Amino acid sequence: SMLTAPMIACEFDFKYADYFDAFRSMIFEKVCPGIGCALLFGNIWYAMMAAKLAGKTGRTDITALPYGINTPAGFLTVYMVMLPICFKHSPKY
């Protein structure tokens, strides 16, 4: 499967229960709060820059570019890169 391929490539022993427990912990305790903070501050920053540009140019049609993440790429990075590395280098596993 798509989740097993990077683990086999990294040559480490794993149990699916451990994998999914670590995944749940990583996503909901580290990744999601980090994404939430990044989205909040990124959107505030872009809104401030739009307001600054509108004030400088005197135009009223300036808008901020929406700040966000590429969700598929974000989760692929977590599943295929971050979690296998976590398993390979974690002293628990």
Side-chain angles (χ1 to χ4, degrees):
S1 85
M2 188 168 96
L3 297 174
T4 307
M7 293 182 178
I8 293 169
C10 290
E11 298 177 357
F12 59 88
D13 189 25
F14 65 93
K15 295 181 176 92
Y16 279 106
D18 292 338
Y19 178 85
F20 289 114
D21 286 343
F23 169 77
R24 188 176 17 262
S25 172
M26 180 184 291
I27 293 296
F28 295 114
E29 294 175 12
K30 294 179 175 70
V31 174
C32 287
I35 289 172
C37 290
L39 290 174
L40 175 67
F41 292 114
N43 280 305
I44 289 171
W45 178 260
Y46 276 11
M48 289 173 27
M49 293 296 103
K52 182 178 175 181
L53 181 61
K56 186 176 180 179
T57 62
R59 294 172 50 190
T60 58
D61 61 346
I62 303 291
T63 61
L65 176 70
Y67 181 80
I69 61 167
N70 178 348
T71 304
F75 279 104
L76 281 174
T77 301
V78 169
Y79 286 127
M80 305 298 268
V81 177
M82 294 169 63
L83 194 56
I85 290 172
C86 172
F87 268 102
K88 187 169 185 173
H89 297 288
S90 175
K92 181 179 177 184
Y93 303 104

PDB file of all heavy atoms in Angstrom, residues 9-40:
ATOM      1  N   ALA A   9      11.114   0.948   2.288  1.00  0.00           N
ATOM      2  CA  ALA A   9      12.296   1.607   1.715  1.00  0.00           C
ATOM      3  C   ALA A   9      13.268   2.034   2.812  1.00  0.00           C
ATOM      4  O   ALA A   9      14.474   2.011   2.616  1.00  0.00           O
ATOM      5  CB  ALA A   9      11.879   2.806   0.875  1.00  0.00           C
ATOM      6  N   CYS A  10      12.748   2.409   3.973  1.00  0.00           N
ATOM      7  CA  CYS A  10      13.605   2.836   5.079  1.00  0.00           C
ATOM      8  C   CYS A  10      14.171   1.659   5.863  1.00  0.00           C
ATOM      9  O   CYS A  10      14.964   1.851   6.773  1.00  0.00           O
ATOM     10  CB  CYS A  10      12.831   3.756   6.031  1.00  0.00           C
ATOM     11  SG  CYS A  10      12.456   5.360   5.331  1.00  0.00           S
ATOM     12  N   GLU A  11      13.730   0.455   5.542  1.00  0.00           N
ATOM     13  CA  GLU A  11      14.236  -0.771   6.155  1.00  0.00           C
ATOM     14  C   GLU A  11      14.132  -0.776   7.681  1.00  0.00           C
ATOM     15  O   GLU A  11      15.105  -0.923   8.398  1.00  0.00           O
ATOM     16  CB  GLU A  11      15.687  -1.006   5.753  1.00  0.00           C
ATOM     17  CG  GLU A  11      15.881  -1.194   4.273  1.00  0.00           C
ATOM     18  CD  GLU A  11      17.346  -1.362   3.908  1.00  0.00           C
ATOM     19  OE1 GLU A  11      18.201  -1.269   4.797  1.00  0.00           O
ATOM     20  OE2 GLU A  11      17.614  -1.576   2.730  1.00  0.00           O
ATOM     21  N   PHE A  12      12.940  -0.633   8.190  1.00  0.00           N
ATOM     22  CA  PHE A  12      12.779  -0.786   9.619  1.00  0.00           C
ATOM     23  C   PHE A  12      11.557  -1.634   9.909  1.00  0.00           C
ATOM     24  O   PHE A  12      10.640  -1.732   9.124  1.00  0.00           O
ATOM     25  CB  PHE A  12      12.697   0.555  10.344  1.00  0.00           C
ATOM     26  CG  PHE A  12      11.570   1.433   9.900  1.00  0.00           C
ATOM     27  CD1 PHE A  12      10.318   1.329  10.474  1.00  0.00           C
ATOM     28  CD2 PHE A  12      11.773   2.377   8.911  1.00  0.00           C
ATOM     29  CE1 PHE A  12       9.293   2.137  10.068  1.00  0.00           C
ATOM     30  CE2 PHE A  12      10.746   3.191   8.505  1.00  0.00           C
ATOM     31  CZ  PHE A  12       9.499   3.070   9.092  1.00  0.00           C
ATOM     32  N   ASP A  13      11.588  -2.262  11.050  1.00  0.00           N
ATOM     33  CA  ASP A  13      10.501  -3.125  11.474  1.00  0.00           C
ATOM     34  C   ASP A  13       9.415  -2.257  12.093  1.00  0.00           C
ATOM     35  O   ASP A  13       9.697  -1.297  12.794  1.00  0.00           O
ATOM     36  CB  ASP A  13      11.019  -4.129  12.502  1.00  0.00           C
ATOM     37  CG  ASP A  13       9.993  -5.189  12.828  1.00  0.00           C
ATOM     38  OD1 ASP A  13       9.120  -5.449  11.978  1.00  0.00           O
ATOM     39  OD2 ASP A  13      10.077  -5.740  13.934  1.00  0.00           O
ATOM     40  N   PHE A  14       8.169  -2.585  11.836  1.00  0.00           N
ATOM     41  CA  PHE A  14       7.080  -1.781  12.371  1.00  0.00           C
ATOM     42  C   PHE A  14       5.869  -2.654  12.627  1.00  0.00           C
ATOM     43  O   PHE A  14       5.730  -3.727  12.073  1.00  0.00           O
ATOM     44  CB  PHE A  14       6.709  -0.653  11.419  1.00  0.00           C
ATOM     45  CG  PHE A  14       6.153  -1.142  10.108  1.00  0.00           C
ATOM     46  CD1 PHE A  14       4.793  -1.296   9.927  1.00  0.00           C
ATOM     47  CD2 PHE A  14       7.006  -1.455   9.056  1.00  0.00           C
ATOM     48  CE1 PHE A  14       4.292  -1.762   8.725  1.00  0.00           C
ATOM     49  CE2 PHE A  14       6.511  -1.907   7.849  1.00  0.00           C
ATOM     50  CZ  PHE A  14       5.143  -2.062   7.689  1.00  0.00           C
ATOM     51  N   LYS A  15       5.015  -2.156  13.481  1.00  0.00           N
ATOM     52  CA  LYS A  15       3.717  -2.755  13.723  1.00  0.00           C
ATOM     53  C   LYS A  15       2.686  -1.691  13.370  1.00  0.00           C
ATOM     54  O   LYS A  15       2.858  -0.522  13.709  1.00  0.00           O
ATOM     55  CB  LYS A  15       3.582  -3.164  15.176  1.00  0.00           C
ATOM     56  CG  LYS A  15       4.539  -4.264  15.578  1.00  0.00           C
ATOM     57  CD  LYS A  15       4.330  -4.620  17.036  1.00  0.00           C
ATOM     58  CE  LYS A  15       5.218  -5.774  17.424  1.00  0.00           C
ATOM     59  NZ  LYS A  15       6.489  -5.400  17.962  1.00  0.00           N
ATOM     60  N   TYR A  16       1.629  -2.095  12.689  1.00  0.00           N
ATOM     61  CA  TYR A  16       0.646  -1.113  12.239  1.00  0.00           C
ATOM     62  C   TYR A  16       0.005  -0.364  13.405  1.00  0.00           C
ATOM     63  O   TYR A  16      -0.279   0.819  13.294  1.00  0.00           O
ATOM     64  CB  TYR A  16      -0.418  -1.769  11.366  1.00  0.00           C
ATOM     65  CG  TYR A  16       0.039  -1.950   9.955  1.00  0.00           C
ATOM     66  CD1 TYR A  16       0.380  -3.201   9.475  1.00  0.00           C
ATOM     67  CD2 TYR A  16       0.156  -0.860   9.112  1.00  0.00           C
ATOM     68  CE1 TYR A  16       0.815  -3.368   8.176  1.00  0.00           C
ATOM     69  CE2 TYR A  16       0.588  -1.005   7.810  1.00  0.00           C
ATOM     70  CZ  TYR A  16       0.919  -2.267   7.339  1.00  0.00           C
ATOM     71  OH  TYR A  16       1.356  -2.418   6.061  1.00  0.00           O
ATOM     72  N   ALA A  17      -0.230  -1.019  14.521  1.00  0.00           N
ATOM     73  CA  ALA A  17      -0.820  -0.327  15.674  1.00  0.00           C
ATOM     74  C   ALA A  17       0.099   0.788  16.153  1.00  0.00           C
ATOM     75  O   ALA A  17      -0.356   1.902  16.436  1.00  0.00           O
ATOM     76  CB  ALA A  17      -1.100  -1.313  16.795  1.00  0.00           C
ATOM     77  N   ASP A  18       1.398   0.496  16.233  1.00  0.00           N
ATOM     78  CA  ASP A  18       2.358   1.535  16.627  1.00  0.00           C
ATOM     79  C   ASP A  18       2.384   2.664  15.610  1.00  0.00           C
ATOM     80  O   ASP A  18       2.450   3.835  15.966  1.00  0.00           O
ATOM     81  CB  ASP A  18       3.767   0.948  16.756  1.00  0.00           C
ATOM     82  CG  ASP A  18       3.885  -0.008  17.928  1.00  0.00           C
ATOM     83  OD1 ASP A  18       3.056   0.101  18.859  1.00  0.00           O
ATOM     84  OD2 ASP A  18       4.792  -0.852  17.890  1.00  0.00           O
ATOM     85  N   TYR A  19       2.337   2.294  14.344  1.00  0.00           N
ATOM     86  CA  TYR A  19       2.356   3.289  13.260  1.00  0.00           C
ATOM     87  C   TYR A  19       1.180   4.244  13.394  1.00  0.00           C
ATOM     88  O   TYR A  19       1.340   5.456  13.369  1.00  0.00           O
ATOM     89  CB  TYR A  19       2.320   2.563  11.914  1.00  0.00           C
ATOM     90  CG  TYR A  19       2.291   3.478  10.721  1.00  0.00           C
ATOM     91  CD1 TYR A  19       3.462   3.982  10.186  1.00  0.00           C
ATOM     92  CD2 TYR A  19       1.089   3.836  10.131  1.00  0.00           C
ATOM     93  CE1 TYR A  19       3.444   4.823   9.096  1.00  0.00           C
ATOM     94  CE2 TYR A  19       1.053   4.670   9.044  1.00  0.00           C
ATOM     95  CZ  TYR A  19       2.241   5.162   8.516  1.00  0.00           C
ATOM     96  OH  TYR A  19       2.206   5.996   7.451  1.00  0.00           O
ATOM     97  N   PHE A  20      -0.018   3.702  13.562  1.00  0.00           N
ATOM     98  CA  PHE A  20      -1.196   4.558  13.616  1.00  0.00           C
ATOM     99  C   PHE A  20      -1.288   5.332  14.920  1.00  0.00           C
ATOM    100  O   PHE A  20      -1.796   6.449  14.935  1.00  0.00           O
ATOM    101  CB  PHE A  20      -2.460   3.749  13.345  1.00  0.00           C
ATOM    102  CG  PHE A  20      -2.550   3.328  11.906  1.00  0.00           C
ATOM    103  CD1 PHE A  20      -2.477   2.001  11.551  1.00  0.00           C
ATOM    104  CD2 PHE A  20      -2.667   4.274  10.895  1.00  0.00           C
ATOM    105  CE1 PHE A  20      -2.527   1.617  10.225  1.00  0.00           C
ATOM    106  CE2 PHE A  20      -2.724   3.901   9.569  1.00  0.00           C
ATOM    107  CZ  PHE A  20      -2.655   2.570   9.222  1.00  0.00           C
ATOM    108  N   ASP A  21      -0.797   4.797  16.014  1.00  0.00           N
ATOM    109  CA  ASP A  21      -0.745   5.564  17.262  1.00  0.00           C
ATOM    110  C   ASP A  21       0.203   6.745  17.121  1.00  0.00           C
ATOM    111  O   ASP A  21      -0.110   7.858  17.539  1.00  0.00           O
ATOM    112  CB  ASP A  21      -0.292   4.683  18.419  1.00  0.00           C
ATOM    113  CG  ASP A  21      -1.376   3.732  18.876  1.00  0.00           C
ATOM    114  OD1 ASP A  21      -2.561   3.960  18.540  1.00  0.00           O
ATOM    115  OD2 ASP A  21      -1.028   2.747  19.569  1.00  0.00           O
ATOM    116  N   ALA A  22       1.356   6.513  16.528  1.00  0.00           N
ATOM    117  CA  ALA A  22       2.315   7.601  16.320  1.00  0.00           C
ATOM    118  C   ALA A  22       1.767   8.618  15.334  1.00  0.00           C
ATOM    119  O   ALA A  22       1.943   9.824  15.507  1.00  0.00           O
ATOM    120  CB  ALA A  22       3.641   7.048  15.820  1.00  0.00           C
ATOM    121  N   PHE A  23       1.089   8.144  14.300  1.00  0.00           N
ATOM    122  CA  PHE A  23       0.494   9.054  13.329  1.00  0.00           C
ATOM    123  C   PHE A  23      -0.540   9.949  13.995  1.00  0.00           C
ATOM    124  O   PHE A  23      -0.548  11.163  13.820  1.00  0.00           O
ATOM    125  CB  PHE A  23      -0.157   8.258  12.188  1.00  0.00           C
ATOM    126  CG  PHE A  23      -1.013   9.102  11.310  1.00  0.00           C
ATOM    127  CD1 PHE A  23      -0.442   9.930  10.368  1.00  0.00           C
ATOM    128  CD2 PHE A  23      -2.389   9.083  11.436  1.00  0.00           C
ATOM    129  CE1 PHE A  23      -1.227  10.728   9.562  1.00  0.00           C
ATOM    130  CE2 PHE A  23      -3.177   9.878  10.637  1.00  0.00           C
ATOM    131  CZ  PHE A  23      -2.598  10.700   9.698  1.00  0.00           C
ATOM    132  N   ARG A  24      -1.434   9.339  14.774  1.00  0.00           N
ATOM    133  CA  ARG A  24      -2.482  10.116  15.452  1.00  0.00           C
ATOM    134  C   ARG A  24      -1.855  11.155  16.382  1.00  0.00           C
ATOM    135  O   ARG A  24      -2.262  12.317  16.406  1.00  0.00           O
ATOM    136  CB  ARG A  24      -3.393   9.165  16.227  1.00  0.00           C
ATOM    137  CG  ARG A  24      -4.607   9.803  16.816  1.00  0.00           C
ATOM    138  CD  ARG A  24      -5.580   8.854  17.510  1.00  0.00           C
ATOM    139  NE  ARG A  24      -5.087   7.536  17.861  1.00  0.00           N
ATOM    140  CZ  ARG A  24      -5.295   6.434  17.142  1.00  0.00           C
ATOM    141  NH1 ARG A  24      -5.967   6.496  16.014  1.00  0.00           N
ATOM    142  NH2 ARG A  24      -4.829   5.269  17.553  1.00  0.00           N
ATOM    143  N   SER A  25      -0.851  10.755  17.109  1.00  0.00           N
ATOM    144  CA  SER A  25      -0.171  11.674  18.012  1.00  0.00           C
ATOM    145  C   SER A  25       0.491  12.815  17.251  1.00  0.00           C
ATOM    146  O   SER A  25       0.361  13.983  17.625  1.00  0.00           O
ATOM    147  CB  SER A  25       0.877  10.916  18.826  1.00  0.00           C
ATOM    148  OG  SER A  25       1.659  11.791  19.561  1.00  0.00           O
ATOM    149  N   MET A  26       1.194  12.491  16.171  1.00  0.00           N
ATOM    150  CA  MET A  26       1.898  13.519  15.405  1.00  0.00           C
ATOM    151  C   MET A  26       0.922  14.511  14.779  1.00  0.00           C
ATOM    152  O   MET A  26       1.103  15.722  14.875  1.00  0.00           O
ATOM    153  CB  MET A  26       2.758  12.886  14.312  1.00  0.00           C
ATOM    154  CG  MET A  26       3.519  13.917  13.482  1.00  0.00           C
ATOM    155  SD  MET A  26       4.440  13.204  12.124  1.00  0.00           S
ATOM    156  CE  MET A  26       5.702  12.342  13.000  1.00  0.00           C
ATOM    157  N   ILE A  27      -0.132  14.010  14.153  1.00  0.00           N
ATOM    158  CA  ILE A  27      -1.075  14.879  13.453  1.00  0.00           C
ATOM    159  C   ILE A  27      -1.814  15.790  14.417  1.00  0.00           C
ATOM    160  O   ILE A  27      -1.850  17.005  14.243  1.00  0.00           O
ATOM    161  CB  ILE A  27      -2.085  14.047  12.632  1.00  0.00           C
ATOM    162  CG1 ILE A  27      -1.373  13.334  11.495  1.00  0.00           C
ATOM    163  CG2 ILE A  27      -3.215  14.906  12.091  1.00  0.00           C
ATOM    164  CD1 ILE A  27      -0.772  14.247  10.471  1.00  0.00           C
ATOM    165  N   PHE A  28      -2.441  15.213  15.438  1.00  0.00           N
ATOM    166  CA  PHE A  28      -3.341  15.997  16.281  1.00  0.00           C
ATOM    167  C   PHE A  28      -2.644  16.754  17.401  1.00  0.00           C
ATOM    168  O   PHE A  28      -3.232  17.689  17.944  1.00  0.00           O
ATOM    169  CB  PHE A  28      -4.442  15.096  16.840  1.00  0.00           C
ATOM    170  CG  PHE A  28      -5.335  14.560  15.761  1.00  0.00           C
ATOM    171  CD1 PHE A  28      -5.367  13.211  15.482  1.00  0.00           C
ATOM    172  CD2 PHE A  28      -6.102  15.404  14.986  1.00  0.00           C
ATOM    173  CE1 PHE A  28      -6.165  12.711  14.474  1.00  0.00           C
ATOM    174  CE2 PHE A  28      -6.904  14.927  13.970  1.00  0.00           C
ATOM    175  CZ  PHE A  28      -6.942  13.577  13.715  1.00  0.00           C
ATOM    176  N   GLU A  29      -1.422  16.390  17.746  1.00  0.00           N
ATOM    177  CA  GLU A  29      -0.722  17.098  18.809  1.00  0.00           C
ATOM    178  C   GLU A  29       0.355  18.047  18.298  1.00  0.00           C
ATOM    179  O   GLU A  29       0.770  18.949  19.023  1.00  0.00           O
ATOM    180  CB  GLU A  29      -0.099  16.096  19.780  1.00  0.00           C
ATOM    181  CG  GLU A  29      -1.135  15.295  20.532  1.00  0.00           C
ATOM    182  CD  GLU A  29      -0.530  14.225  21.417  1.00  0.00           C
ATOM    183  OE1 GLU A  29       0.700  14.236  21.634  1.00  0.00           O
ATOM    184  OE2 GLU A  29      -1.291  13.354  21.883  1.00  0.00           O
ATOM    185  N   LYS A  30       0.815  17.854  17.057  1.00  0.00           N
ATOM    186  CA  LYS A  30       1.905  18.691  16.549  1.00  0.00           C
ATOM    187  C   LYS A  30       1.565  19.389  15.239  1.00  0.00           C
ATOM    188  O   LYS A  30       1.702  20.604  15.123  1.00  0.00           O
ATOM    189  CB  LYS A  30       3.163  17.844  16.383  1.00  0.00           C
ATOM    190  CG  LYS A  30       3.707  17.325  17.698  1.00  0.00           C
ATOM    191  CD  LYS A  30       4.924  16.466  17.514  1.00  0.00           C
ATOM    192  CE  LYS A  30       5.533  16.057  18.814  1.00  0.00           C
ATOM    193  NZ  LYS A  30       4.798  15.120  19.602  1.00  0.00           N
ATOM    194  N   VAL A  31       1.130  18.644  14.241  1.00  0.00           N
ATOM    195  CA  VAL A  31       0.932  19.209  12.913  1.00  0.00           C
ATOM    196  C   VAL A  31      -0.262  20.158  12.868  1.00  0.00           C
ATOM    197  O   VAL A  31      -0.147  21.294  12.407  1.00  0.00           O
ATOM    198  CB  VAL A  31       0.807  18.093  11.856  1.00  0.00           C
ATOM    199  CG1 VAL A  31       0.450  18.663  10.504  1.00  0.00           C
ATOM    200  CG2 VAL A  31       2.106  17.312  11.768  1.00  0.00           C
ATOM    201  N   CYS A  32      -1.424  19.709  13.329  1.00  0.00           N
ATOM    202  CA  CYS A  32      -2.628  20.548  13.245  1.00  0.00           C
ATOM    203  C   CYS A  32      -2.499  21.854  14.044  1.00  0.00           C
ATOM    204  O   CYS A  32      -2.859  22.918  13.526  1.00  0.00           O
ATOM    205  CB  CYS A  32      -3.866  19.763  13.662  1.00  0.00           C
ATOM    206  SG  CYS A  32      -4.369  18.560  12.424  1.00  0.00           S
ATOM    207  N   PRO A  33      -1.993  21.829  15.282  1.00  0.00           N
ATOM    208  CA  PRO A  33      -1.802  23.116  15.968  1.00  0.00           C
ATOM    209  C   PRO A  33      -0.806  24.026  15.241  1.00  0.00           C
ATOM    210  O   PRO A  33      -1.006  25.243  15.172  1.00  0.00           O
ATOM    211  CB  PRO A  33      -1.264  22.716  17.340  1.00  0.00           C
ATOM    212  CG  PRO A  33      -1.740  21.329  17.552  1.00  0.00           C
ATOM    213  CD  PRO A  33      -1.741  20.696  16.200  1.00  0.00           C
ATOM    214  N   GLY A  34       0.231  23.445  14.668  1.00  0.00           N
ATOM    215  CA  GLY A  34       1.198  24.252  13.915  1.00  0.00           C
ATOM    216  C   GLY A  34       0.578  24.876  12.674  1.00  0.00           C
ATOM    217  O   GLY A  34       0.819  26.043  12.357  1.00  0.00           O
ATOM    218  N   ILE A  35      -0.223  24.095  11.975  1.00  0.00           N
ATOM    219  CA  ILE A  35      -0.906  24.623  10.788  1.00  0.00           C
ATOM    220  C   ILE A  35      -1.876  25.727  11.188  1.00  0.00           C
ATOM    221  O   ILE A  35      -1.972  26.754  10.513  1.00  0.00           O
ATOM    222  CB  ILE A  35      -1.645  23.485  10.046  1.00  0.00           C
ATOM    223  CG1 ILE A  35      -0.642  22.559   9.375  1.00  0.00           C
ATOM    224  CG2 ILE A  35      -2.618  24.040   9.007  1.00  0.00           C
ATOM    225  CD1 ILE A  35      -1.252  21.310   8.783  1.00  0.00           C
ATOM    226  N   GLY A  36      -2.588  25.517  12.294  1.00  0.00           N
ATOM    227  CA  GLY A  36      -3.525  26.543  12.758  1.00  0.00           C
ATOM    228  C   GLY A  36      -2.830  27.864  13.042  1.00  0.00           C
ATOM    229  O   GLY A  36      -3.302  28.931  12.636  1.00  0.00           O
ATOM    230  N   CYS A  37      -1.701  27.809  13.733  1.00  0.00           N
ATOM    231  CA  CYS A  37      -0.938  29.042  14.021  1.00  0.00           C
ATOM    232  C   CYS A  37      -0.419  29.682  12.741  1.00  0.00           C
ATOM    233  O   CYS A  37      -0.496  30.899  12.569  1.00  0.00           O
ATOM    234  CB  CYS A  37       0.221  28.738  14.963  1.00  0.00           C
ATOM    235  SG  CYS A  37      -0.287  28.323  16.627  1.00  0.00           S
ATOM    236  N   ALA A  38       0.108  28.862  11.844  1.00  0.00           N
ATOM    237  CA  ALA A  38       0.645  29.397  10.587  1.00  0.00           C
ATOM    238  C   ALA A  38      -0.450  30.069   9.760  1.00  0.00           C
ATOM    239  O   ALA A  38      -0.229  31.143   9.189  1.00  0.00           O
ATOM    240  CB  ALA A  38       1.303  28.281   9.781  1.00  0.00           C
ATOM    241  N   LEU A  39      -1.618  29.455   9.686  1.00  0.00           N
ATOM    242  CA  LEU A  39      -2.717  30.052   8.923  1.00  0.00           C
ATOM    243  C   LEU A  39      -3.191  31.352   9.550  1.00  0.00           C
ATOM    244  O   LEU A  39      -3.444  32.340   8.847  1.00  0.00           O
ATOM    245  CB  LEU A  39      -3.880  29.073   8.803  1.00  0.00           C
ATOM    246  CG  LEU A  39      -3.634  27.865   7.917  1.00  0.00           C
ATOM    247  CD1 LEU A  39      -4.814  26.908   7.993  1.00  0.00           C
ATOM    248  CD2 LEU A  39      -3.393  28.296   6.490  1.00  0.00           C
ATOM    249  N   LEU A  40      -3.324  31.379  10.863  1.00  0.00           N
ATOM    250  CA  LEU A  40      -3.760  32.586  11.548  1.00  0.00           C
ATOM    251  C   LEU A  40      -2.799  33.743  11.296  1.00  0.00           C
ATOM    252  O   LEU A  40      -3.183  34.806  10.816  1.00  0.00           O
ATOM    253  CB  LEU A  40      -3.888  32.319  13.047  1.00  0.00           C
ATOM    254  CG  LEU A  40      -4.217  33.543  13.905  1.00  0.00           C
ATOM    255  CD1 LEU A  40      -5.607  34.041  13.592  1.00  0.00           C
ATOM    256  CD2 LEU A  40      -4.076  33.210  15.375  1.00  0.00           C
TER     257      LEU A  40
END
